[in-house]
Amino acid sequence: MAIVMDADRMARSLARMAHEILERNRGLDDLALVGIRARGVPLAERIAAQLRALTGSEVPTGALDITLYRDDLMQHQVGPQPVIRRTEITFSIDGRLILLVDDVLYTGRTVRAALDALIDFGRPSAIQLLALVDRGHRELPIRADYVGKNLPTSRQQTVHVRLVEIDGRDEVEVEG
Amino acid sequence: MGIPEMGERRRLLKAVRLVDPAAGRDGTFDILIGGDRIARVGVDLPVDGAEVVELPAGVIVTPGLIDIHVHLREPGQEHKETIATGAAAAVAGGFTAVACMPNTTPVNDQAAVTQFILKRAAAARQARVYPIGAVSVGSNGEQLAEIGELRAAGCVALSDDGLPVATALLMRRAMEYASMFDLPIIDHCEDQSLKGQGVAHDGEVAGLLGLRGIPGAAESIMVERDISVAEMTGARYHVAHMSARQSLRAVRAGKARGVRVTCEVTPHHAVLNHEALAANGGYDTNCKMNPPLREEADRLAMIEGLRDGSVDAIATDHAPHHADEKALDFDQAPFGIVGLETAVPLCLDRLVHAGVIGLPRLVELLSVNPARILGVPGGTLAEGGPADLTLLAPGHQVTIDAARMVSKGRNTPFDGWSLTGAVAATVVGGRALFVGPAALGRPALWNEPDA
Amino acid sequence: MSTVTTLRHRHLLGIAELDPAEIELVLESAVAMKEVGTRPIKKVPTLRGRTIMNLFFESSTRTRMSFELAEKRLSADTLGMTTSGSSLSKGETLADTARTLEAMAPDMIVIRHHASGAAHHLARTCRASIINAGDGTHEHPTQALLDALTIRERKGRLAGLRVAIVGDLAHSRVLRSNALLLTKMGAEVIACGPATLVPPGLPRLGVRVTHAVDEAVEGADVVMMLRVQRERMEGLYLPSVREYFTLFGLTTRRLERAAPDAIVMHPGPMNRGVEIESAVADGPWSVILDQVANGVAVRMAVLYLLAEFRGEG
């Protein structure tokens, strides 16, 4: 087991990505953040805080639960069933640039489910993706626009992202 | 509450013989009445400005007698009796209160009729009247009466008397419903299929006279049914005018099991048997009532029940009819005899003097238990309680004279009977509403202003 | 937070078979499902391709529509059957009807039937997941679940609440399911009804019984009124509508005895002026319409969780 990112590194990665967002999008006017539950949500809030500190602007932030859109729900799956949680997107996404935020980008299926959900909510002008960690092994043609850390892993390994808001500390650990 | 206020009429019955078993009193006492209430009962009470009343020797004071089964016929059958004449007949018979059955026209199955009865009774200012409400609408056995309303209007019990409670299911529902209001159900127990067209007890006398019979089992079958349902529901149940020995057997067994069952017997079922139908040429319709006069074994069983405590109350089932109605042949004449004005002489003569029961037990049967069964005040002279007293003259000789009865109905088989025992006076709420010859000719037992 | 993430049975036949953790799971899932109904597109693909049959042998508009809507929102294929014109009226037994329909491979069957135990009967004979939408006078589990959701929304909890349930207790499956659920979740339940309509066995569920409405409503946080059918009046159970309303009807006057923020519930359809005064039904205490809204969410949660079932139960 190895800690591949500590609290300090994480903070700097988030700060760097916030700058990248600003750079790429020429201002924040139509930007909104949507964190994918569970850990994508505090990450989205941190990004929003960074953007606020940099520009003084408030970026709308929402939370998306994709359990009902997963494609692996009805398959035989080992391990506990995911519990559905509330989706909270209180703003209209029509015509907005939506930045999806997730902790780990892996097969890409979670992001695909998130895209399906977002389409049901409205018609964004564009969707971008921010992932704290990209561990490879994509099964769908999906890529992140902003990556905190590229982390080559094998399929047998497990990546644990821990955040202060949920786990009491900030770190990324690779197991196996 | 015990001390009457100044300005209220206060009377002191001095050193009178009092039999009040519920209060444990059987002896010589002073009774102080203030207004319409008993102020105090004790010995050597101070006079303190009260009007002293001395009673003739031989007069015994008891708590007011209560007849829990009478038919006052009003509304709808005023040719037989009215509430006023019936309540007056009651006090003439020594009763300070009566409970009246609902088989009037219309049936007392709704608050409006109950209120009418109470209003009439209040206007009459004679005996207190406690209405019994119907179990089913019109006593038709199909639909529950609005029992909650009847209770709120003043009914003290429920019955479809005249008819039995039609089915076990109705009895069950009625008991369940009525027990929410702690109302007892009084049943006229009679299996209608066994009764058929019967007019007399199904025995030798009816057989020889050619009269269709009603067997004792018609009554006892329904008593047993009702006791089973009462056991199941835990409700209070009372057998009206019990007459058959099998019924008493079932009541005893039910009581032994803890079922809340009580029962009453009429004076005529304790005194007469079916031989009376054959007497004096036979077919006297004044011997026709329902349940009918039965065999001697049944009469003796009732006597035994009165003695040993398994019978709870004596009630007359006072059923006045117009003379024209009773003047029909035996089959056609309606069932029923009057009883309010013959009850006390019959009980004193044929029960007390005959040694079957003592006076305290008689008071239980005619006052204590009736009050308890109906849940009404009385049954004892309690300080602050109503001043309802019956003054008895057990030694006074009377001859029953139907023509001079207060009741409109004169249908009695006891006309001309000589009996030892009479009512001296009846006091309701402190007012002496009846003063009889047994008060030994005194014009008034006490001075009564026209209040 | 529920301590389980899955239900332990393949059917939902009654509250009797659920434990508090499972009930908690359904309620939490229902909260999430409720949000779907607030979106512009009120649909999620979760049960796409699943087939659900609604067998309603008893007429019921609101429950049937509620289930249908829940099924459609989850993108399932839904088929409805109502009594008229059904093969059952041609003498076919319930089990045979279900087996015949099962040949079309439904994943789930929702059944409402006038015989107590009908759902259990189907569960023994069919492969599909059976959901009891009301069997005779036995249970109506989704009603109790939506009632619990509604109570929790308004009161923040179930444990420690005092709940009065008033009406025809003997014939009410809503009572039985609610009594089971509320006592399992730590609420205090007082049932009130006329003595002719109280079934034996309620104390065994941990429910106190009284015939006095004022006593039941005293200090109650929730007052749940049950429907009294007209057929019960003017017969041997009850003398008349007037007397029932006088003795047992919920009026604003009676409600004054309840706790200050008491809520009033009713499974519907209501008999105004019989068990409940209009002023109460339409007043600020009433959450009756919330119950209906929550019904869809709760049914979505139940369908989702049962579709997920992996084990053998």
Side-chain angles (χ1 to χ4, degrees):
Chain A
M1 291 205 264
I3 307 286
V4 298
M5 185 185 271
D6 63 15
D8 199 40
R9 271 298 297 282
M10 190 183 291
R12 279 188 274 132
S13 295
L14 289 171
R16 188 247 312 152
M17 287 192 287
H19 279 96
E20 284 179 17
I21 293 166
L22 277 178
E23 191 180 41
R24 180 131 22 137
N25 294 308
R26 267 175 250 281
L28 300 177
D29 284 348
D30 299 318
L31 184 70
L33 295 163
V34 174
I36 300 177
R37 286 204 191 272
R39 289 177 177 74
V41 178
L43 286 174
E45 284 163 0
R46 292 197 205 183
I47 296 285
Q50 294 274 351
L51 294 172
R52 190 187 312 126
L54 288 173
T55 68
S57 297
E58 206 57 57
V59 177
T61 307
L64 179 66
D65 184 286
I66 53 95
T67 316
L68 298 173
Y69 289 84
R70 293 170 62 126
D71 61 5
D72 59 350
L73 273 181
M74 305 302 153
Q75 315 304 320
H76 234 286
Q77 185 183 297
V78 183
Q81 243 169 288
V83 181
I84 45 176
R85 300 263 171 259
R86 263 186 75 92
T87 290
E88 286 170 46
I89 299 178
T90 55
F91 46 87
S92 167
I93 67 171
D94 289 339
R96 279 196 188 270
L97 169 66
I98 299 297
L99 178 51
L100 280 174
V101 178
D102 205 0
D103 56 343
V104 179
L105 175 57
Y106 183 25
T107 62
R109 292 187 187 272
T110 301
V111 174
R112 184 219 53 85
L115 291 174
D116 268 358
L118 279 182
I119 300 297
D120 276 352
F121 272 88
R123 195 180 186 285
S125 63
I127 301 177
Q128 293 175 359
L129 174 65
L130 183 153
L132 182 66
V133 171
D134 181 345
R135 66 172 287 197
H137 301 288
R138 215 73 79 237
E139 294 172 3
L140 298 171
I142 286 179
R143 57 141 182 76
D145 298 280
Y146 314 94
V147 178
K149 180 177 178 62
N150 279 297
L151 190 62
T153 59
S154 74
R155 286 190 167 276
Q156 286 71 40
Q157 286 174 310
T158 311
V159 176
H160 298 287
V161 172
R162 297 190 185 96
L163 301 176
V164 161
E165 296 89 331
I166 294 175
D167 312 283
R169 61 189 189 283
D170 285 343
E171 72 189 11
V172 178
E173 180 191 342
V174 175
E175 184 188 334
Chain B
M1 203 61 208
I3 310 298
E5 287 148 29
M6 296 311 297
E8 263 186 347
R9 196 78 183 219
R10 290 162 69 236
R11 293 197 174 89
L12 181 63
L13 275 65
K14 200 100 186 78
V16 297
R17 178 87 175 26
L18 170 65
V19 177
D20 185 350
R25 292 195 176 109
D26 184 351
T28 304
F29 290 86
D30 293 351
I31 302 170
L32 178 63
I33 296 173
D36 62 354
R37 306 254 137 205
I38 302 287
R40 261 187 85 183
V41 179
V43 285
D44 290 328
L45 297 182
V47 174
D48 206 12
E51 178 191 326
V52 175
V53 177
E54 276 177 21
L55 299 182
V59 171
I60 298 179
V61 176
T62 72
L65 307 183
I66 301 173
D67 189 346
I68 60 171
H69 190 148
V70 306
H71 296 270
L72 295 181
R73 305 304 192 197
E74 189 180 6
Q77 301 153 30
E78 292 84 355
H79 58 292
K80 302 176 197 260
E81 188 90 281
T82 65
I83 291 172
T85 58
V91 298
F95 292 96
T96 56
V98 297
C100 61
M101 281 297 180
N103 57 337
T104 46
T105 310
V107 168
N108 182 14
D109 60 7
Q110 50 189 298
V113 178
T114 307
Q115 284 155 9
F116 171 82
I117 293 171
L118 288 170
K119 224 167 119 184
R120 276 289 205 247
R125 301 188 82 212
Q126 297 288 321
R128 300 180 198 275
V129 174
Y130 297 112
I132 296 171
V135 171
S136 58
V137 172
S139 291
N140 67 359
E142 284 168 18
Q143 182 180 335
L144 278 185
E146 288 178 311
I147 290 169
E149 290 227 341
L150 289 172
R151 171 50 132 182
C155 285
V156 297
L158 301 167
S159 182
D160 276 343
D161 188 51
L163 289 170
V165 173
T167 61
L169 179 61
L170 174 60
M171 183 56 100
R172 174 188 183 168
R173 298 285 174 232
M175 281 182 168
E176 287 170 341
Y177 201 87
S179 60
M180 290 197 286
F181 309 97
D182 198 29
L183 285 173
I185 309 248
I186 303 174
D187 201 12
H188 165 117
C189 295
E190 186 179 47
D191 179 274
Q192 297 295 280
S193 66
L194 281 179
K195 183 212 176 171
Q197 304 285 322
V199 296
H201 172 69
D202 190 19
E204 298 171 327
V205 175
L208 291 171
L209 290 176
L211 297 171
R212 285 183 296 269
I214 308 171
E219 180 184 283
S220 63
I221 281 176
M222 193 145 287
V223 172
E224 286 174 353
R225 176 200 86 171
D226 292 345
I227 288 178
S228 291
V229 181
E231 191 171 14
M232 173 171 67
T233 59
R236 288 205 289 138
Y237 167 63
H238 181 78
V239 182
H241 45 52
M242 184 173 63
S243 66
R245 59 194 186 272
Q246 307 92 318
S247 305
L248 183 51
R249 195 176 60 203
V251 168
R252 283 198 181 105
K255 285 185 177 188
R257 291 200 306 278
V259 180
R260 300 165 79 192
V261 51
T262 52
C263 61
E264 75 199 25
V265 171
T266 67
H268 51 270
H269 284 107
V271 171
L272 297 173
N273 61 32
H274 59 171
E275 303 289 347
L277 270 70
N280 299 326
Y283 305 99
D284 181 1
T285 59
N286 287 329
C287 292
K288 179 179 180 182
M289 76 287 291
N290 196 8
L293 299 171
R294 299 201 189 268
E295 297 163 20
E296 181 66 359
D298 296 300
R299 187 187 76 84
L300 290 173
M302 298 304 115
I303 294 278
E304 188 51 36
L306 289 166
R307 192 213 313 273
D308 72 12
S310 25
V311 173
D312 301 276
I314 291 174
T316 63
D317 193 8
H318 175 83
H321 289 291
H322 193 277
D324 292 347
E325 293 168 319
K326 279 291 205 181
L328 299 171
D329 58 81
F330 202 90
D331 273 356
Q332 300 282 319
F335 290 104
I337 59 170
V338 292
L340 283 169
E341 294 167 83
T342 51
V344 166
L346 284 170
C347 289
L348 285 173
D349 189 305
R350 296 304 170 95
L351 297 177
V352 178
H353 292 315
V356 174
I357 58 176
L359 259 182
R361 173 68 180 144
L362 185 67
V363 174
E364 271 179 22
L365 289 161
L366 280 172
S367 187
V368 179
N369 291 345
R372 183 171 50 83
I373 290 167
L374 296 179
V376 299
T380 185
L381 297 182
E383 288 182 13
D388 291 356
L389 297 82
T390 302
L391 279 59
L392 300 173
H396 189 84
Q397 196 76 17
V398 291
T399 304
I400 305 292
D401 186 354
R404 296 183 57 188
M405 278 182 172
V406 174
S407 166
K408 266 192 178 183
R410 305 283 158 79
N411 44 320
T412 175
F414 303 110
D415 194 20
W417 282 40
S418 262
L419 299 164
T420 306
V423 177
T426 310
V427 176
V428 180
R431 295 166 56 234
L433 295 178
F434 171 79
V435 179
L440 291 182
R442 301 205 184 175
L445 199 54
W446 56 58
N447 295 319
E448 190 62 47
D450 239 335
Chain C
M1 284 276 285
S2 175
T3 55
V4 300
T5 56
T6 177
L7 295 181
R8 294 199 246 275
H9 314 276
R10 72 181 304 112
H11 310 291
L12 178 64
L13 302 178
I15 302 293
E17 288 92 5
L18 296 177
D19 63 40
E22 289 173 293
I23 293 169
E24 192 62 59
L25 177 62
V26 173
L27 297 180
E28 280 169 19
S29 307
V31 170
M33 291 298 186
K34 205 167 168 181
E35 179 272 322
V36 174
T38 65
R39 303 180 185 180
I41 296 183
K42 300 172 179 47
K43 213 170 186 55
V44 290
T46 323
L47 293 189
R48 198 170 67 93
R50 295 295 179 114
T51 305
I52 305 179
M53 286 182 180
N54 297 323
L55 302 188
F56 275 67
F57 293 94
E58 252 185 7
S59 71
S60 146
T61 310
R62 75 190 59 205
T63 307
R64 189 164 51 82
M65 289 181 70
S66 183
F67 267 104
E68 268 185 47
L69 192 54
E71 291 151 13
K72 290 178 149 84
R73 286 206 174 148
L74 291 169
S75 299
D77 291 329
T78 155
L79 304 166
M81 183 222 84
T82 52
T83 37
S84 61
S86 77
S87 56
L88 207 72
S89 57
K90 298 172 192 159
E92 199 182 32
T93 67
L94 170 60
D96 273 340
T97 301
R99 266 191 236 112
T100 309
L101 295 171
E102 236 198 350
M104 296 183 250
D107 299 282
M108 307 168 108
I109 297 178
V110 177
I111 176 167
R112 166 170 284 197
H113 198 278
H114 46 78
S116 297
H120 285 74
H121 185 51
L122 275 197
R124 277 194 290 273
T125 51
C126 294
R127 283 183 308 273
S129 285
I130 308 296
I131 295 165
N132 184 5
D135 63 327
T137 58
H138 177 230
E139 282 229 43
H140 192 359
T142 56
Q143 179 71 43
L145 288 162
L146 74 88
D147 287 340
L149 183 66
T150 310
I151 294 172
R152 211 146 67 162
E153 268 177 2
R154 289 300 186 112
K155 296 286 175 184
R157 67 196 156 105
L158 292 170
L161 290 181
R162 196 177 145 124
V163 180
I165 305 182
V166 182
D168 177 353
L169 305 176
H171 301 97
S172 174
R173 50 193 175 215
V174 171
L175 163 74
R176 285 165 178 77
S177 292
N178 265 298
L180 284 165
L181 188 150
L182 291 166
T183 50
K184 283 187 196 212
M185 302 305 275
E188 181 198 338
V189 178
I190 298 135
C192 172
T196 46
L197 290 171
V198 177
L202 291 180
R204 188 190 281 211
L205 298 181
V207 171
R208 186 152 68 84
V209 179
T210 173
H211 304 304
V213 165
D214 291 328
E215 184 191 324
V217 173
E218 185 76 42
D221 301 294
V222 179
V223 181
M224 194 180 290
M225 301 307 294
L226 300 174
R227 195 173 123 70
V228 180
Q229 290 174 285
R230 294 256 161 197
E231 302 85 80
R232 313 274 177 230
M233 311 287 187
E234 287 142 28
L236 297 182
Y237 287 107
L238 297 167
S240 65
V241 169
R242 173 174 71 179
E243 173 134 316
Y244 183 80
F245 185 71
T246 308
L247 294 176
F248 295 98
L250 188 63
T251 59
T252 51
R253 189 76 184 279
R254 285 211 157 108
L255 213 39
E256 281 168 19
R257 296 168 156 266
D261 307 312
I263 55 174
V264 172
M265 306 178 70
H266 195 302
M270 282 190 287
N271 282 323
R272 287 169 183 266
V274 178
E275 66 259 5
I276 187 168
E277 198 175 50
S278 274
V280 173
D282 303 326
W285 318 264
S286 166
V287 300
I288 294 171
L289 294 176
D290 292 349
Q291 287 172 272
V292 178
N294 286 338
V296 179
V298 159
R299 286 162 181 136
M300 285 173 73
V302 166
L303 293 167
Y304 166 73
L305 289 167
L306 286 179
E308 288 288 83
F309 178 78
R310 306 285 159 86
E312 289 308 314

